[in-house]
Amino acid sequence: MVFADSHAHLADSAFVDDVDDVIVRARAAGARALICIGESPTAALRAQALAARHVGEMFHTCGVHPYDAMTWDASRDADAIREAVARGAVAVGECGLDSTYEHASMVQQRHVLEAQCELAAELQRPLVLHTRGAETETLEFLHLARTAHVRGVLHCFTGSHSLLAAGLDAGWYVSFSGIVTFSKWSDDDAIRLVPSDRLLVESDAPYLAPVPHRGTRNEPAFVARTLARIAAVRDTDLETLGYQTLVNTARFFGISSLIESSDPSADSL
């Protein structure tokens, strides 16, 4: 089986001591592409450095997470995102809306998200969207993004079918994490509703380790567990599904070299 992990925080301090070993384990599990998320300009620099050490299998992004919206500086952070893209960042984000923790007001979060949407349009990069506890605002934002011709991914999807439909109607992709293996997960229909060519899978490492690893540090190798769950729900062959996520990740992030080398029998990219 081969697959892509479309969202991993491998630049996080949780991996400072063994990130190369984590990548080796991911490769052994079948990962042929890892998207290293830069959820802040500082994290993006670390993600870029990691990607430079693993050319062809790791790619990086740059954005400002909603938790950090209060620190947004329009000139400084916009320039940082532009510079990251110039150095090869494949997407803007992780950015978004979250009412779970009051790190920043929803007004400020919306302002920062809209600014990053403008940057995504300017730089012709997709958007990696975090949304939690902000469905009404996210639906409004999807309309704005569609008007701006910005496509994106609903990362770590746990929303309603209305939000899912709106995202799919806007041409967005949908990514599922280890949450789908948790006993509290109760929306297999959402997994079935995503078209095969718009489905992504992710670890969100070091968070949300799938069963039976729940409660431990997550890593990309564990995506195989999430894929097995999704394949069972969709009544799909696991190898076929894994390969589809690789192709979808390449298409979404515009990684043409990955598409050209996406041979399910290949040992590496």
Side-chain angles (χ1 to χ4, degrees), residues 8-78:
H9 297 271
L10 293 174
D12 189 271
S13 60
F15 298 107
V16 69
D17 294 327
D18 66 343
V19 66
D20 291 322
D21 291 338
V22 168
I23 293 168
V24 168
R25 288 194 291 272
R27 192 183 299 127
R32 295 295 176 265
L34 305 169
I35 306 300
C36 188
I37 300 298
E39 70 278 5
S40 69
T42 301
L45 289 174
R46 295 195 299 269
Q48 178 199 346
L50 273 176
R53 281 165 41 196
H54 298 278
V55 175
E57 63 183 342
M58 184 182 291
F59 308 87
H60 62 101
T61 76
C62 182
V64 175
H65 194 280
Y67 289 176
D68 298 320
M70 81 294 286
T71 70
W72 173 262
D73 179 286
S75 177
R76 179 197 65 203
D77 293 329

Side-chain angles (χ1 to χ4, degrees), residues 127-147:
L127 202 69
V128 178
L129 185 69
H130 169 113
T131 175
R132 185 164 55 173
E135 186 145 318
T136 298
E137 294 84 355
T138 302
L139 287 167
E140 293 171 354
F141 172 72
L142 283 172
H143 176 73
L144 174 68
R146 186 173 189 171
T147 301

